[in-house]
Amino acid sequence: MTVRVLIVDDSATMRSLIAATLRQDPEIEVLGFANDPIEAREAIKRLNPDVITLDVEMPHMNGLDFLEKIMRLRPMPVVMVSTLTQAGAEATLTAMELGAVDCVGKPGAGHTAIEAFADLAEKVKAAARARVRPFVGHVTKVEDTRSYKAEDIIVAIGSSTGGVEALMTILSAFPATCPPTVITQHMPATFTRSFAERLDRVSGAKVAEAWDGARLAPGHVYLAPGGEAHLEITGTTHLSCRLRHDAPVSGHRPSVDVLFESVARLNRPALGVILTGMGRDGAQGLLSMRQAGARTLGQDESSCVVYGMPRAAHEIGAVEKQSPLARMSSAILGICAAAEPQRSA
């Protein structure tokens, strides 16, 4: 199937770079261009594209306002093309909360267009297969007063495309007493700190970007820094984060497989959760966790934006149980509440 794409960006240079990148893939057809949302609206009606690439800063109407109108009136797959700055990160995260499927960073200092857009074509093709939902509003915090044996179990979560929505939904139900939770989400390096801050605002738990040597504690959630290092969990009595600056694993850095494999080696109660995303990262690591005695959950197909990573994990027997996103928080917390304390022989 050929994926038909409309490129929306007010920079002629950027439009050309994006088009040149996409045209290298024989499965993608660039239908046309729009300089601003007004042109884009007419082009969408005329061309009926499968996917839009969308800039944030444009004349007449910014990309976020335009995206919200799209997701309310005519939901369709959108990939954001954003500057890799703090402001760009905030805008792009807002875009993904509004319903954008994924994002890529524009070429910046020290990065060529080839490097910046290395996975653009794959993200566009994944977006064409994604389940796009109308914008329904922002996540609100859910109060939870149950007691969890937070010192007895660790929760490890992996996600990719669609993970912003999934993690916002899940962590909004996490209480201040939640078990130590570690997350690897595929995301550009400059985005994860802003994302951690957003998660912190909606969650009862304390959410922060992980740092090397951070000691895991109940009521805290640690998000792997994007793009630069793998997150591993190490230790015996006291667990801590380790950032390992190695080559990509399963095509990613940070890799979900690396996180899950490290948790599998801990020899203590754990729960592994694999969420929406394209590819296979995390499948083998989740299997290692299950084989080591951990509980495992996978997001079900109907609620995934892209049913890639959970499918791969399910097919190799890594997933003990599948759950829709709407019930994933209660599934996680229920397993944690029932976890037996670790006892010495």
Side-chain angles (χ1 to χ4, degrees):
M1 182 188 83
T2 300
V3 177
R4 303 159 67 249
V5 183
L6 173 67
I7 298 170
V8 185
D9 198 298
D10 65 332
S11 164
T13 299
M14 196 57 59
R15 292 195 300 267
S16 296
L17 288 173
I18 295 169
T21 301
L22 294 179
R23 283 171 174 153
Q24 293 177 26
D25 192 310
E27 297 178 344
I28 296 177
E29 176 188 358
V30 177
L31 290 179
F33 308 91
N35 180 64
D36 59 40
I38 295 174
E39 290 184 9
R41 183 175 55 193
E42 296 306 315
I44 290 170
K45 293 178 183 177
R46 185 177 72 255
L47 300 173
N48 192 29
D50 300 314
V51 179
I52 297 174
T53 69
L54 180 63
D55 187 18
V56 174
E57 296 296 332
M58 291 182 294
H60 306 302
M61 179 188 296
N62 70 50
L64 296 180
D65 290 341
F66 183 56
L67 175 65
E68 184 169 355
K69 290 181 181 297
I70 290 174
M71 301 314 292
R72 288 189 185 279
L73 303 174
R74 192 185 188 279
M76 62 186 306
V78 176
V79 175
M80 302 303 296
V81 183
S82 172
T83 55
L84 291 176
T85 63
Q86 185 70 22
E90 289 287 347
T92 303
L93 289 168
T94 298
M96 288 192 282
E97 289 179 39
L98 291 171
V101 174
D102 214 331
C103 67
V104 295
K106 289 185 176 182
H111 293 87
T112 66
I114 293 175
E115 293 170 331
F117 292 154
D119 57 355
L120 175 60
E122 289 302 316
K123 289 190 174 187
V124 164
K125 290 190 290 185
R129 301 189 298 269
R131 293 174 179 82
V132 178
R133 300 172 181 83
F135 173 65
V136 294
H138 294 288
V139 176
T140 55
K141 186 181 296 187
V142 176
E143 296 299 328
D144 191 311
T145 58
R146 288 180 292 175
S147 176
Y148 299 94
K149 296 181 176 67
E151 71 277 12
D152 296 320
I153 189 169
I154 176 176
V155 178
I157 302 175
S159 53
S160 185
T161 310
V164 169
E165 173 197 5
L167 291 169
M168 293 283 287
T169 299
I170 291 168
L171 292 189
S172 69
F174 267 37
T177 57
C178 75
T181 300
V182 290
I183 300 172
T184 288
Q185 156 74 32
H186 299 155
M187 187 172 280
T190 53
F191 286 22
T192 44
R193 179 167 296 179
S194 294
F195 187 39
E197 291 170 354
R198 283 174 179 250
L199 292 171
D200 185 61
R201 290 196 291 269
V202 303
S203 181
K206 177 63 179 176
V207 185
E209 193 177 45
W211 66 95
D212 194 54
R215 180 175 288 190
L216 271 58
H220 287 69
V221 178
Y222 308 82
L223 179 68
E228 298 177 350
H230 298 294
L231 173 61
E232 292 184 325
I233 307 305
T234 62
T236 52
T237 304
H238 301 294
L239 302 181
S240 61
C241 298
R242 183 174 75 173
L243 301 183
R244 181 159 60 83
H245 295 267
D246 284 349
V249 173
S250 304
H252 297 279
R253 185 177 58 214
S255 164
V256 180
D257 271 326
V258 171
L259 175 63
F260 285 172
E261 293 284 358
S262 72
V263 175
R265 294 191 294 267
L266 295 176
N267 190 31
R268 62 178 293 157
L271 168 62
V273 183
I274 193 161
L275 303 175
T276 174
M278 64 179 181
R280 302 185 58 85
D281 187 29
Q284 190 60 49
L286 193 69
L287 180 61
S288 295
M289 286 186 65
R290 190 173 188 189
Q291 291 172 338
R295 306 291 301 276
T296 62
L297 293 172
Q299 188 175 347
D300 74 350
E301 183 173 3
S302 65
S303 67
C304 281
V305 172
V306 177
Y307 186 58
M309 288 162 48
R311 180 198 296 274
H314 186 263
E315 287 176 346
I316 64 173
V319 176
E320 175 187 349
K321 181 182 178 181
Q322 291 189 309
S323 174
L325 178 60
R327 294 203 291 271
M328 186 64 79
S329 295
S330 60
I332 293 171
L333 296 174
I335 289 172
C336 293
E340 289 295 327
Q342 180 81 346
R343 301 183 189 280
S344 58

